[in-house]
Amino acid sequence: MQIPIKISNDGSEEWMMLELQGDLESRTQTKMSNKFIGDLHFTKQGVPVLIIGHHILYGKVMDMDKPFVIMNKIQTDTCMEVPESDTNEELDVLYNIKAVVKKKLIFKNRPKPIIASSVKNV
Amino acid sequence: MSCIERTVEDVQKLILHAKLTEDELLPVTQTLEFSPEYGEASQEMVMMEVDPALLNTMRQGDSIVLRGDPEAGAVLCTNNKTYEVREAETSNSLVLVPQLALPSMDSTGERTLENCQVCSIHYKYLEVRPCKPRVEKLQQILEEHPYSGPQEDDLTDTSKGKKYTWSDLLNRVQCSEEELDQGLRDIEAYHIYGFWQILEFDYRFKVVSHILQLIETKSWALDCVPYKESVEILSELEPRAVMVQCFEYYLTPTDKENESGDALYTLQDDKICRLCAEVLLKSADKYNLNEFLSIWQQSVPEGLTTNMSQLEGLALVDRSGSADAISYFPVSSLPSGVQERFNCLFETREKWSIEEIRPYIMDLTGENTPVNALLTKYARASTSNGIKYYSGRHAR
């Protein structure tokens, strides 16, 4: 069984990734889409600072030794000619590379709680 | 694009509460939120870790294919390399934020906000690691329907097993195209009328015999065999495709030509001698070693010299009896799994010296596992009369 991996037409974009310890959770159990997560700042020394909920996290920018490719599966019912093959095959599935991640912001340090007298519900 | 009403003032208030100062921060703040489609099936993406060389291959648009097999894990193949694919899990959250930007260090000015959307969060990703092409299956697959000569060109006979085209093979064998090509060469496969087949043993010997007979009839020197002339004459005896490929398997080109401009080839001595030995060995259970060596030498073309080293991985010499004996024991008949191979070897013979066992485990070695490493892992060493022997780990 064979599944080709193709790269999308516009070459591939570079996306960014955050690496966090633990999970992002919603305080209420509602759907996550459209919900606000937090503010991302950078210090003048280039250190990323993330404020999520009542926590502040300091991280760093890392070049990845081994980049990630981001792929999505595409199902197609059409008859596609596969290059370098003797026959026309009906391909059902292929993976499409949408983007590459070469750098990530990694937040390894323990989050510091923000002790504030009056933090509005953000 | 932002779905939330967050203002610069909101952000600045939070900066204060967090005990940060505007002064220490660059002016652009990116507000993160989940995208509107977050969590939907359309957002299902797979992350795969690749090395820079592989990434380059992907970017150049070269062919990359995942090849699966019901019994083994999937592999990823470029044109010429194979990688094993494994799923890795992390306890960290890998948060994909496509448009997130790294700010320039020297930006100044008033605080501005930019909105960034998280499209998905991942805990799993695929790891790829270079591995050996999984070509062991190839011999097995092609044994389903060996070619036994032109009389079998009757296409209506469906009693034999399946025949495989190049594409069929790529569907079954987990390796790259170049590795498949090399694998087919290594097992002496022939491309016959669009299908890849190995020759049935007797037929193979018949075809090679035609070549040897022609050389003798024409009194050609063994290293001066004219290509075109040979192929023309031999194609009257067997299909041209078979003749040409057999010629290339058993002879090698030299740089020389004869007076007619025909390229001259030379016999591959060791290969021919080995084939002749195989014919003899297959026809009897075992031979007295000395008798065998004598018959063998007489059976090879004049001018070739037989040598025990030509029999590596083909025959076993038994020196335990009153007279030394030799019998047929080809590595190709042994299991391809490492543990099974060792089990079989130790069931056949309790103790092996390294010279005896090496030809029977060479094909199992890998980049990080040379012969010695395999022996350390799967065998137990002992010494007798100053010679090191290997036996099974769980021997009685």
Side-chain angles (χ1 to χ4, degrees):
Chain A
M1 187 209 63
Q2 302 182 70
I3 304 181
I5 298 179
K6 307 267 185 207
I7 197 155
S8 49
N9 288 336
D10 47 356
S12 49
E13 306 166 31
E14 267 189 51
W15 286 359
M16 279 292 282
M17 182 167 86
L18 306 181
E19 186 168 340
L20 306 175
Q21 292 187 330
D23 305 322
L24 290 178
E25 272 173 7
S26 164
R27 214 172 307 171
T28 61
Q29 293 297 326
T30 54
K31 235 171 54 151
M32 305 275 256
S33 64
N34 293 331
K35 290 205 80 168
F36 173 64
I37 299 171
D39 294 338
L40 174 67
H41 305 278
F42 282 85
T43 67
K44 288 187 172 159
Q45 286 75 43
V47 175
V49 184
L50 191 54
I51 307 181
I52 299 184
H54 295 293
H55 291 108
I56 176 167
L57 302 99
Y58 290 85
K60 72 175 183 179
V61 179
M62 260 185 81
D63 281 320
M64 292 162 72
D65 290 331
K66 289 196 180 169
F68 276 16
V69 293
I70 314 295
M71 316 188 288
N72 63 337
K73 234 179 188 175
I74 296 184
Q75 308 265 73
T76 163
D77 299 320
T78 56
C79 214
M80 279 173 70
E81 190 163 345
V82 182
E84 293 137 300
S85 127
D86 299 332
T87 59
N88 281 344
E89 280 178 15
E90 256 184 67
L91 281 189
D92 315 278
V93 177
L94 66 91
Y95 276 104
N96 174 53
I97 299 177
K98 293 183 70 160
V100 180
V101 178
K102 290 170 133 179
K103 291 188 204 240
K104 59 183 177 181
L105 302 185
I106 180 162
F107 294 88
K108 266 206 192 135
N109 298 324
R110 292 194 64 138
K112 294 194 186 141
I114 300 172
I115 306 158
S117 42
S118 57
V119 177
K120 298 262 194 291
N121 220 21
V122 285
Chain B
M1 260 248 289
S2 172
C3 307
I4 42 131
E5 308 281 310
R6 197 157 168 70
T7 64
V8 177
E9 278 170 355
D10 292 331
V11 172
Q12 285 170 327
K13 263 195 224 161
L14 190 53
I15 289 174
L16 266 181
H17 284 307
K19 305 225 171 54
L20 298 168
T21 61
E22 289 272 8
D23 222 31
E24 60 182 320
L25 298 176
L26 293 174
V28 175
T29 299
Q30 295 174 85
T31 56
L32 303 178
E33 65 195 33
F34 289 103
S35 71
E37 309 84 23
Y38 181 85
E40 283 171 30
S42 62
Q43 295 298 288
E44 259 169 47
M45 288 187 269
V46 175
M47 304 211 298
M48 182 163 73
E49 187 188 55
V50 295
D51 62 45
L54 183 55
L55 179 60
N56 244 353
T57 306
M58 287 170 162
R59 284 196 145 150
Q60 280 163 23
D62 287 353
S63 155
I64 314 257
V65 185
L66 286 170
R67 297 200 159 109
D69 179 285
E71 286 159 35
V75 299
L76 180 147
C77 301
T78 61
N79 283 330
N80 59 8
K81 275 170 79 159
T82 302
Y83 298 78
E84 63 177 0
V85 179
R86 289 203 203 170
E87 194 173 56
E89 225 176 303
T90 169
S91 53
N92 290 349
S93 305
L94 301 174
V95 183
L96 272 184
V97 197
Q99 306 308 324
L100 193 144
L102 298 179
S104 79
M105 290 295 111
D106 45 2
S107 46
T108 52
E110 294 293 307
R111 181 146 307 279
T112 53
L113 301 187
E114 270 170 27
N115 178 253
C116 281
Q117 306 200 327
V118 168
C119 63
S120 54
I121 300 185
H122 300 256
Y123 301 90
K124 292 187 190 175
Y125 59 93
L126 300 177
E127 282 182 324
V128 296
R129 212 181 322 169
C131 68
K132 274 171 85 174
R134 299 186 183 159
V135 289
E136 315 79 39
K137 242 187 179 178
L138 204 45
Q139 175 82 28
Q140 216 182 315
I141 292 177
L142 294 188
E143 274 169 7
E144 288 175 26
H145 193 152
Y147 184 75
S148 53
Q151 75 284 355
E152 85 146 48
D153 293 344
D154 175 9
L155 298 166
T156 60
D157 178 10
T158 49
S159 59
K160 284 185 166 186
K162 183 179 156 78
K163 294 201 297 190
Y164 291 82
T165 61
W166 180 259
S167 317
D168 292 333
L169 289 175
L170 284 175
N171 243 359
R172 291 287 305 270
V173 184
Q174 293 177 291
C175 65
S176 68
E177 300 210 29
E178 277 182 33
E179 287 161 336
L180 180 60
D181 187 59
Q182 186 60 53
L184 287 167
R185 264 180 237 282
D186 290 342
I187 62 171
E188 201 182 312
Y190 290 70
H191 198 204
I192 305 173
Y193 310 134
F195 294 101
W196 284 92
Q197 298 181 268
I198 47 178
L199 302 185
E200 208 153 58
F201 183 78
D202 292 339
Y203 182 68
R204 172 154 59 109
F205 186 60
K206 181 176 174 206
V207 177
V208 176
S209 301
H210 286 319
I211 301 177
L212 298 178
Q213 228 129 65
L214 181 64
I215 295 174
E216 197 183 317
T217 310
K218 294 280 192 168
S219 301
W220 286 326
L222 300 181
D223 59 352
C224 293
V225 183
Y227 179 79
K228 277 202 216 118
E229 190 179 340
S230 302
V231 170
E232 283 315 311
I233 300 172
L234 294 167
S235 299
E236 291 172 28
L237 301 170
E238 301 296 341
R240 184 187 206 84
V242 175
M243 245 19 271
V244 166
Q245 290 173 79
C246 188
F247 201 87
E248 303 269 8
Y249 273 123
Y250 287 88
L251 294 95
T252 38
T254 65
D255 305 318
K256 302 190 241 128
E257 286 178 354
N258 63 10
E259 318 85 45
S260 324
D262 199 348
L264 294 176
Y265 276 56
T266 179
L267 268 189
Q268 290 185 34
D269 299 13
D270 292 342
K271 223 171 165 179
I272 303 280
C273 289
R274 189 183 171 94
L275 182 61
C276 293
E278 197 167 0
V279 175
L280 291 171
L281 289 165
K282 280 177 87 127
S283 64
D285 245 357
K286 67 174 172 203
Y287 289 84
N288 170 290
L289 181 61
N290 287 330
E291 277 174 29
F292 174 80
L293 292 175
S294 167
I295 310 173
W296 182 27
Q297 180 63 62
Q298 287 169 41
S299 75
V300 304
E302 212 178 299
L304 293 186
T305 313
T306 56
N307 187 309
M308 285 292 289
S309 65
Q310 294 158 345
L311 303 180
E312 278 187 3
L314 190 65
L316 263 192
V317 174
D318 184 1
R319 299 183 198 275
S320 62
S322 47
D324 292 346
I326 186 168
S327 53
Y328 188 48
F329 192 65
V331 64
S332 55
S333 69
L334 300 176
S336 54
V338 188
Q339 184 65 67
E340 294 82 2
R341 172 80 61 91
F342 274 98
N343 290 346
C344 192
L345 289 174
F346 292 127
E347 272 163 38
T348 306
R349 173 174 289 188
E350 224 186 287
K351 281 193 161 122
W352 295 72
S353 70
I354 194 160
E355 292 79 32
E356 287 170 345
I357 204 171
R358 178 185 283 120
Y360 291 99
I361 56 176
M362 270 312 286
D363 59 319
L364 302 174
T365 55
E367 239 179 82
N368 296 325
T369 42
V371 169
N372 287 326
L374 285 175
L375 289 170
T376 306
K377 186 168 178 191
Y378 292 94
R380 204 175 39 180
S382 58
T383 313
S384 176
N385 292 335
I387 303 176
K388 198 170 187 186
Y389 288 100
Y390 294 92
S391 43
R393 279 192 161 257
H394 305 290
R396 289 166 253 103

